[in-house]
Amino acid sequence: MTTTVEPVQHEQPIEHRARYGDREFRYHLCHVPGYQRRSIRVHVHPNGTVQVDAPEDSPLSEIKAAVQRRARWVLKHLDDIEQRHRDLLPRQWVSGESVLYLGRRYVLKTIKDTEQRKVTCKLISGQLRVIGHDLTPERIQAAVQQWYRERASDVFQRRLNLMVDALPWLKTPPEWRMVAMQTQWGSCAASGAILLNPHLVKAPTRAIDYVLLHELCHLVEHNHSPRFYNLLDRFMPDWRSVKERLDGQAEVILHKSGK
Ligand SMILES: [Zn+2]
């Protein structure tokens, strides 16, 4: 005689907890009826909920072990979601907020110095220090924006100078200007005038190089023809993945209140 155990149907997913080091996260366990796979799948949804899909007959111990093996990965995703959320909040321009520069995150630190009339910015050991007297959010924002423009100007020029050596059609660094744009990293007019977005200095150097190369290729090929892409491929074979990562960060980099 055989006994069959009726699989329990859960209307609502069951909540469990997992621990990793000194951290804990909750996850919803969904027993998926007719789930043929033997594997237990762990998803982190963009809203930060963790869902675990398992076949109906998986023992809980097996599910817990599977979640444990993915715990580090889950926490990394949850941290990324939280950071992204913070990045998109309106900026207050106060100590503790984070600022991006060349793909790295720095902590904004405001330091009151009654001797100093002009507000200055300095990048030191993981911090962007804004120093001055009378540090209102408006003055801090203006100083940081000015600092970004100066850094952008310097970084873009240095990268362009390096490209003159690499690109056979360039004899001298091209003329360019900075223009803050909402939806574009750069542009190149038919006349050869290159515009670059100062916000791009928040992105990693490789991404900056990709944008510069893209615009410089337009000096030879004015549209996005196959010949244009051949040029890009030749001078930056991995440009697609660099572009994809950069575009994935666009929302944070071009964040309106994070100028
Ligand atoms: Zn283009």
Side-chain angles (χ1 to χ4, degrees):
M1 186 184 160
T2 55
T3 25
T4 51
V5 179
E6 276 296 306
V8 187
Q9 295 290 327
H10 299 287
E11 303 254 309
Q12 291 294 321
I14 325 156
E15 196 172 85
H16 289 271
R17 286 155 193 261
R19 263 177 169 276
Y20 185 79
D22 58 355
R23 298 185 59 186
E24 194 182 73
F25 63 89
R26 291 153 191 265
Y27 60 93
H28 296 299
L29 175 58
C30 299
H31 285 289
V32 184
Y35 197 40
Q36 291 301 313
R37 295 164 186 257
R38 298 305 305 161
S39 62
I40 294 162
R41 311 230 310 164
V42 182
H43 321 260
V44 179
H45 293 290
N47 67 0
T49 56
V50 183
Q51 183 184 329
V52 177
D53 292 338
E56 283 175 296
D57 56 355
S58 298
L60 190 58
S61 58
E62 212 172 275
I63 295 168
K64 287 194 160 175
V67 174
Q68 208 56 49
R69 281 195 296 275
R70 302 286 275 158
R72 216 165 93 109
W73 176 87
V74 169
L75 287 168
K76 164 87 176 66
H77 273 259
L78 291 177
D79 289 346
D80 288 349
I81 290 169
E82 204 187 307
Q83 184 60 59
R84 200 175 173 79
H85 184 71
R86 271 203 301 267
D87 282 339
L88 293 174
L89 289 174
R91 279 195 185 282
Q92 310 293 315
W93 300 101
V94 292
S95 277
E97 285 185 322
S98 80
V99 289
L100 280 172
Y101 175 62
L102 295 180
R104 295 215 176 133
R105 215 169 263 293
Y106 294 86
V107 179
L108 184 69
K109 177 131 176 83
T110 61
I111 299 166
K112 197 174 163 70
D113 180 350
T114 47
E115 304 285 287
Q116 206 171 306
R117 294 248 134 233
K118 192 174 176 294
V119 183
T120 59
C121 295
K122 273 196 196 114
L123 202 64
I124 302 171
S125 56
Q127 295 179 336
L128 177 64
R129 295 186 187 166
V130 182
I131 308 154
H133 97 125
D134 188 26
L135 289 174
T136 60
E138 293 75 25
R139 296 192 70 183
I140 294 166
Q141 178 176 13
V144 173
Q145 280 174 12
Q146 180 58 29
W147 177 80
Y148 268 132
R149 289 188 77 88
E150 285 163 9
R151 295 313 310 140
S153 175
D154 186 59
V155 170
F156 297 167
Q157 191 60 61
R158 274 191 292 121
R159 302 312 296 178
L160 283 167
N161 292 348
L162 288 173
M163 286 191 179
V164 175
D165 299 333
L167 306 178
W169 63 90
L170 281 183
K171 299 283 171 271
T172 54
E175 292 293 316
W176 62 280
R177 279 195 306 125
M178 260 192 313
V179 176
M181 294 174 266
Q182 290 292 316
T183 55
Q184 270 184 301
W185 300 117
S187 72
C188 180
S191 63
I194 291 176
L195 301 182
L196 298 170
N197 193 336
H199 294 307
L200 184 61
V201 81
K202 297 171 191 171
T205 309
R206 188 86 182 137
I208 296 171
D209 283 352
Y210 157 70
V211 174
L212 298 181
L213 180 65
H214 182 113
E215 303 313 337
L216 294 173
C217 286
H218 278 316
L219 294 174
V220 184
E221 298 292 338
H222 298 294
N223 42 39
H224 293 141
S225 63
R227 282 203 307 265
F228 170 82
Y229 291 112
N230 285 343
L231 264 188
L232 268 184
D233 284 338
R234 194 168 133 210
F235 292 97
M236 189 184 271
D238 64 338
W239 68 269
R240 285 176 187 81
S241 61
V242 176
K243 178 187 189 317
E244 197 179 296
R245 273 200 301 277
L246 175 62
D247 290 344
Q249 285 187 296
E251 202 184 0
V252 169
I253 290 179
L254 300 172
H255 179 27
K256 283 195 192 105
S257 51
K259 275 177 191 173

